[in-house]
Amino acid sequence: MFLIAGLGNPGRQYEKTRHNMGFDTIDELIDRHRIPQGGIAHKGMYGKGMIAGEKVLAVKPLTYMNLSGDCIAEFVNYYKLDPESELIVIYDDIDLEPGQLRIRKKGSAGGHNGIKSMITRLGTQNFYRIKVGVGAKPQGWDLADYVLGRFSAEDREVVDIAIKQAADAVEMILEKGIDAAMNHYNGAGKKKKTQE
């Protein structure tokens, strides 16, 4: 079984904000694969279903971003999952252009409080992650204001495509493995530039 965790903040006021890329991708997967909602447990909303022939738990922590690890660690422990091979985390990244995807097997928190919380609670930084770019914070802006803000109409179009691609990437990881997904998505932007 795989745990697919999308990070974000619960509540209507946070819908469609930059910080909710994970939640938006989970919603896409739930719709696409008709995953029934199991309700609330372990401080998160979850659904159990099948994606690419694998049993999955699709989870949105309800702890707010900075305590995401509290929810994810409870799910990992309850279902006796190995976070290094059975956990996929989707979240926003300000170091990537809006709509750019980056897939990693492991890494530091990179200043992301949700990931920081997960590393602390899980005791490892070796877990699969899909980062969805939201663009860099403009000079003079407060980081919290920026990530809790919404996209321009132009950026939103690009990001909506990226959310679908992030869901595709989850499917590819489950079907073909993390290396195949990294090769496919991480190289895409570079290849286009060299062809031009």
Side-chain angles (χ1 to χ4, degrees), residues 18 21-22 25 89-104 129-136 146 151 154-167 169 181-182 184-193:
R18 293 181 180 90
M21 295 296 93
T25 305
V89 185
I90 307 140
Y91 61 100
D92 59 291
D93 191 325
I94 60 168
D95 293 327
L96 300 174
E97 290 296 313
Q100 194 183 353
L101 289 192
R102 180 83 32 89
I103 298 174
R104 291 278 181 261
R129 38 202 71 207
I130 300 171
K131 307 177 187 187
V132 182
V134 297
Y146 180 69
F151 296 96
E154 193 183 334
D155 281 351
R156 186 74 231 183
E157 278 182 34
V158 175
V159 165
D160 282 340
I161 293 165
I163 287 163
K164 288 182 167 50
Q165 289 175 334
M182 285 170 67
H184 183 83
Y185 288 97
N186 295 350
K190 289 172 201 153
K191 279 178 197 151
K192 278 180 198 155
K193 280 177 192 157

Side-chain angles (χ1 to χ4, degrees), residues 103 172-173 176-185:
I103 298 174
M172 186 177 277
I173 291 168
K176 298 180 177 173
I178 185 83
D179 290 328
M182 285 170 67
N183 289 338
H184 183 83
Y185 288 97

Side-chain angles (χ1 to χ4, degrees), residues 7 66 69 108-121 127:
L7 304 191
N66 294 358
S108 69
H112 194 288
N113 288 334
I115 297 299
K116 205 178 289 181
S117 167
M118 288 188 57
I119 291 170
T120 301
R121 288 301 312 274
F127 48 84

Side-chain angles (χ1 to χ4, degrees), residues 60-110:
K60 297 198 285 190
L62 296 176
T63 51
Y64 292 93
M65 181 63 85
N66 294 358
L67 297 174
S68 299
D70 293 359
C71 165
I72 304 308
E74 283 194 27
F75 271 99
V76 165
N77 294 335
Y78 183 82
Y79 288 97
K80 297 180 171 59
L81 300 172
D82 178 357
E84 301 195 358
S85 61
E86 296 172 322
L87 171 62
I88 302 169
V89 185
I90 307 140
Y91 61 100
D92 59 291
D93 191 325
I94 60 168
D95 293 327
L96 300 174
E97 290 296 313
Q100 194 183 353
L101 289 192
R102 180 83 32 89
I103 298 174
R104 291 278 181 261
K105 288 182 185 177
K106 58 184 178 181
S108 69

